[in-house]
Amino acid sequence: MAGLVWNVIYHSVNENRIKTFNVFNHGGFREDLKKLYKKYPEKETFAEELRHSLMYYFWCKCEWEIIIGPWCGGRDTKEIKVDVYWQVMNNWEIFLDYVWNAKTSKTGSRYLNAMGE
């Protein structure tokens, strides 16, 4: 897939290791984004639908969850479970601007062309 990159951390069950994953390489999410670009010309509505799509594919799904805890010290610090949705929402405004601005950029054009536009 050309252009858009937003890497998150996840556990690859097949490789049994922690890896990074570009959320734009997820087929369902990529198809949703293609439809959202066509359907929503205003950023506010686009943003809400984009958030729903992220939630649908990446929120509270064990295959997209990891546990974060301290490496040294912090014996009383509880580990937390984090999913891909949380990772993206942690930088929501930056992510939204990145995706929205890609709609009319060369990167976004390449992205849409790679999806069959």
Side-chain angles (χ1 to χ4, degrees):
M1 195 236 10
L4 300 177
V5 177
W6 194 274
N7 288 323
V8 293
I9 299 169
Y10 82 113
H11 175 254
S12 171
V13 176
N14 294 331
E15 296 179 39
N16 197 29
R17 66 185 185 110
I18 302 297
K19 294 179 66 174
T20 57
F21 177 76
N22 179 1
V23 296
F24 299 107
N25 286 342
H26 187 285
F29 181 67
R30 187 172 53 233
E31 284 302 311
D32 277 6
L33 184 56
K34 179 180 174 183
K35 291 173 189 171
L36 296 177
Y37 274 154
K38 287 181 178 180
K39 189 172 182 180
Y40 298 102
E42 64 288 330
K43 187 176 180 181
E44 294 75 27
T45 312
F46 174 85
E48 188 60 26
E49 295 302 318
L50 179 63
R51 190 182 64 76
H52 287 300
S53 181
L54 281 166
M55 187 178 280
Y56 179 79
Y57 291 110
F58 299 114
W59 181 58
C60 289
K61 297 197 176 183
C62 62
E63 65 270 27
W64 296 114
E65 293 175 328
I66 59 171
I67 303 294
I68 298 176
W71 175 249
C72 30
R75 284 185 215 161
D76 296 331
T77 304
K78 291 185 178 185
E79 296 173 333
I80 60 170
K81 184 168 49 172
V82 169
D83 56 28
V84 167
Y85 176 79
W86 181 88
Q87 291 180 64
V88 173
M89 294 308 290
N90 221 14
N91 291 293
W92 173 244
E93 291 302 322
I94 298 166
F95 179 80
L96 174 58
D97 287 343
Y98 177 67
V99 175
W100 180 254
N101 292 333
K103 182 177 181 179
T104 56
S105 72
K106 288 181 183 178
T107 299
S109 297
R110 283 194 309 267
Y111 178 67
L112 289 172
N113 288 335
M115 293 189 301
E117 276 300 297

